[in-house]
């Protein structure tokens, strides 16, 4: 494998001149630059990314730590983050924690040793551990995305989850529903808590009583939605509508309902959350709360770039506003209901 010394020897210049030509760090005459570039091409020379990063103090890479999820929302978000990084001239190193704190620490050690310019965190298991790790490695520009902890010295991109839960419930109320249940996500997770709070706010604002039998806790997956529907089927009195904490649980509700002769939306209206790509192709197409993954990703990457450029700037929390997408899973009831 050719080295920078081989290129310098073939071009008849110093290694520092080769470096200046490759990195555009100083003016070099056109004649010498052409010789160097010809030598690079002839020897098929590839500069060492590690050596270059040490010289210019940047690797043009970001690290991203995520907890794996079967939810397509996250895979779509990660895809958009990688695209946003690429557009800014950065490479993304993606590490999946599998919800394991030891695995997260191992990935974090590796990313910091590789001198990534910044970190994007989207994993809740960092809550009680991250501060100590960053004390060991110094200040690394970091942006917390949605499901991560809020830490001093880090910027945060958050879903306005309380507002989303409110919008979902308010839509059902506006469509004439009064008997409205809620399938929450796991309540130790902040987004689940906030969406539940939005549901409660809408119900209280409308003067409606929350029936505790219609409030169930899921796991943000299809199976927990399926099991929740089975539990509702055991009740003598059922809600006319359900707010699901995400689209995956809404899918489970719809699947179990279809298997047991409950028609959506005729017998039960359902509103989901996230607007995953599959939502429009469900039967019926799912009314849901839309989160713009492309915009979330772009804002997160831009915020991290700004933090890289100015590590002393004040902490920022950017709230992403959700919106309601109306499809076919909600039935309009008469005003007298």
């Amino acid at each position: 494998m050719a080295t920078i010394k081989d290129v310098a020897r073939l071009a008849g210049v110093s290694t520092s001149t080769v470096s200046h030509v490759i990195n555009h760090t100083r003016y070099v005459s056109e004649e010498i630059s052409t010789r160097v570039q010809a030598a690079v091409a002839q020897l098929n020379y590839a500069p060492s990314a590690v050596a270059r990063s040490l010289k210019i103090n940047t690797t043009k890479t970001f690290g991203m730590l995520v907890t794996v999820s079967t939810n397509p929302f996250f895979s779509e978000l990660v895809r958009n983050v990688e695209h946003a990084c690429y557009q800014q001239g950065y490479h993304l190193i993606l590490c999946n924690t599998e919800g394991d704190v030891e695995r997260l620490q191992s990935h974090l050690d590796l990313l910091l040793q590789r001198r990534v310019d910044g970190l994007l965190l989207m994993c809740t298991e960092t809550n009680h551990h991250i501060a100590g790790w960053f004390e060991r490695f110094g200040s690394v520009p970091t942006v917390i995305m949605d499901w991560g902890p809020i830490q001093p010295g880090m910027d945060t991109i958050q879903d306005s989850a309380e507002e989303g839960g409110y919008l979902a419930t308010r839509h059902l109320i506006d469509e004439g529903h009064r008997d409205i249940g809620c399938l929450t996500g796991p309540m130790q997770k902040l987004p689940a808590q906030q969406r539940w709070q939005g549901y409660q706010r809408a119900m209280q604002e409308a003067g409606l009583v929350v029936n505790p039998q219609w409030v169930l806790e899921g796991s943000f997956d299809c199976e927990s939605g399926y099991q929740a529907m089975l539990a509702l089927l055991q009740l003598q009195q059922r809600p006319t509508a359900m707010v699901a904490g995400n689209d995956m649980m809404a899918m489970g509700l719809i699947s179990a309902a279809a298997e047991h002769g409950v028609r959506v939306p005729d017998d039960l209206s359902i509103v989901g959350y996230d607007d995953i790509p599959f939502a429009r192709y469900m039967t019926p197409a799912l009314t849901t709360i839309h989160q713009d993954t492309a915009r979330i990703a772009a804002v997160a990457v831009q915020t991290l770039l700004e933090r890289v450029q100015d590590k002393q700037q004040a902490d920022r929390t950017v709230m992403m506003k959700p919106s309601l997408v109306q499809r076919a899973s909600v039935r309009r009831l008469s005003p007298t209901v």
Side-chain angles (χ1 to χ4, degrees):
M1 182 179 293
T3 68
I4 193 170
K5 289 182 180 179
D6 297 326
V7 174
R9 189 179 302 113
L10 182 59
V13 297
S14 68
T15 55
S16 62
T17 298
V18 174
S19 176
H20 288 311
V21 171
I22 293 173
N23 296 313
H24 306 287
T25 50
R26 196 186 72 186
Y27 171 76
V28 178
S29 70
E30 184 176 347
E31 185 268 332
I32 292 177
S33 179
T34 300
R35 277 163 42 199
V36 170
Q37 291 169 359
V40 167
Q42 182 176 333
L43 295 173
N44 196 27
Y45 170 68
S48 167
V50 173
R52 185 172 187 272
S53 68
L54 290 172
K55 182 176 289 291
I56 63 177
N57 201 32
T58 180
T59 61
K60 286 291 183 177
T61 58
F62 288 147
M64 185 174 186
L65 288 162
V66 299
T67 302
V68 70
S69 174
T70 57
N71 189 345
F73 170 78
F74 292 101
S75 59
E76 186 72 8
L77 183 55
V78 169
R79 185 183 70 83
N80 280 302
V81 167
E82 193 281 330
H83 180 68
C85 287
Y86 179 77
Q87 287 185 316
Q88 295 288 349
Y90 275 74
H91 294 287
L92 182 69
I93 302 175
L94 180 65
C95 296
N96 169 28
T97 69
E98 295 281 359
D100 184 330
V101 172
E102 290 185 4
R103 185 167 177 171
L104 182 148
Q105 182 170 357
S106 176
H107 285 319
L108 183 59
D109 288 345
L110 176 65
L111 290 173
L112 296 179
Q113 289 166 15
R114 290 196 176 187
R115 298 169 59 89
V116 294
D117 294 338
L119 288 169
L120 294 160
L121 299 184
M122 196 168 66
C123 40
T124 53
E125 62 270 22
T126 56
N127 277 328
H128 304 296
H129 306 273
I130 193 171
W133 295 339
F134 280 102
E135 285 177 5
R136 288 166 47 206
F137 289 97
S139 176
V140 178
T142 301
V143 170
I144 308 296
M145 296 183 65
D146 196 12
W147 280 25
I150 296 176
Q151 294 284 340
M154 301 179 187
D155 299 313
T156 306
I157 311 298
Q158 285 192 324
D159 161 36
S160 300
E162 197 273 347
E163 179 66 15
Y166 174 85
L167 288 175
T169 311
R170 186 71 246 178
H171 175 63
L172 291 169
I173 294 170
D174 290 343
E175 292 299 297
H177 292 272
R178 297 296 178 266
D179 298 331
I180 305 170
C182 184
L183 174 57
T184 75
M187 290 303 285
Q188 74 271 22
K189 295 186 181 295
L190 184 60
Q193 297 170 17
Q194 292 176 335
R195 293 169 194 180
W196 159 244
Q197 290 165 2
Y199 161 85
Q200 291 179 298
R201 176 162 69 93
M203 294 289 283
Q204 183 177 17
E205 186 180 272
L208 300 178
V209 176
V210 175
N211 186 331
Q213 288 189 308
W214 299 341
V215 177
L216 303 167
E217 183 176 351
S219 303
F220 281 144
D221 60 10
C222 291
E223 180 60 25
S224 62
Y226 187 94
Q227 294 300 325
M229 188 69 241
L230 297 184
L232 290 174
L233 289 171
Q234 303 304 311
L235 301 177
Q236 288 188 340
Q237 183 182 4
R238 301 175 198 161
T240 64
M242 288 291 293
V243 175
N246 75 349
D247 290 347
M248 299 294 283
M249 293 192 298
M251 288 174 63
L253 286 170
I254 291 172
S255 177
E259 288 182 13
H260 292 82
V262 176
R263 299 167 300 167
V264 177
D266 294 345
D267 302 322
L268 179 68
S269 293
I270 297 175
V271 178
Y273 202 111
D274 285 338
D275 194 21
I276 63 176
F278 302 148
R280 70 181 63 189
Y281 302 112
M282 295 180 197
T283 303
L286 183 64
T287 293
T288 185
I289 299 300
H290 175 72
Q291 295 197 77
D292 189 338
T293 56
R295 183 166 180 267
I296 293 171
V299 170
V301 171
Q302 182 59 42
T303 300
L304 184 55
L305 283 168
E306 292 171 4
R307 172 65 65 175
V308 167
Q309 293 163 4
D310 181 8
K311 295 181 181 180
Q312 303 306 315
Q313 65 180 328
D315 299 354
R316 291 172 296 175
T317 296
V318 182
M319 301 298 292
M320 308 301 293
K321 189 172 179 62
S323 59
L324 177 75
V325 177
Q326 297 185 45
R327 296 195 178 103
S329 64
V330 174
R331 175 192 176 195
R332 181 174 181 80
L333 300 183
S334 65
T336 58
V337 174

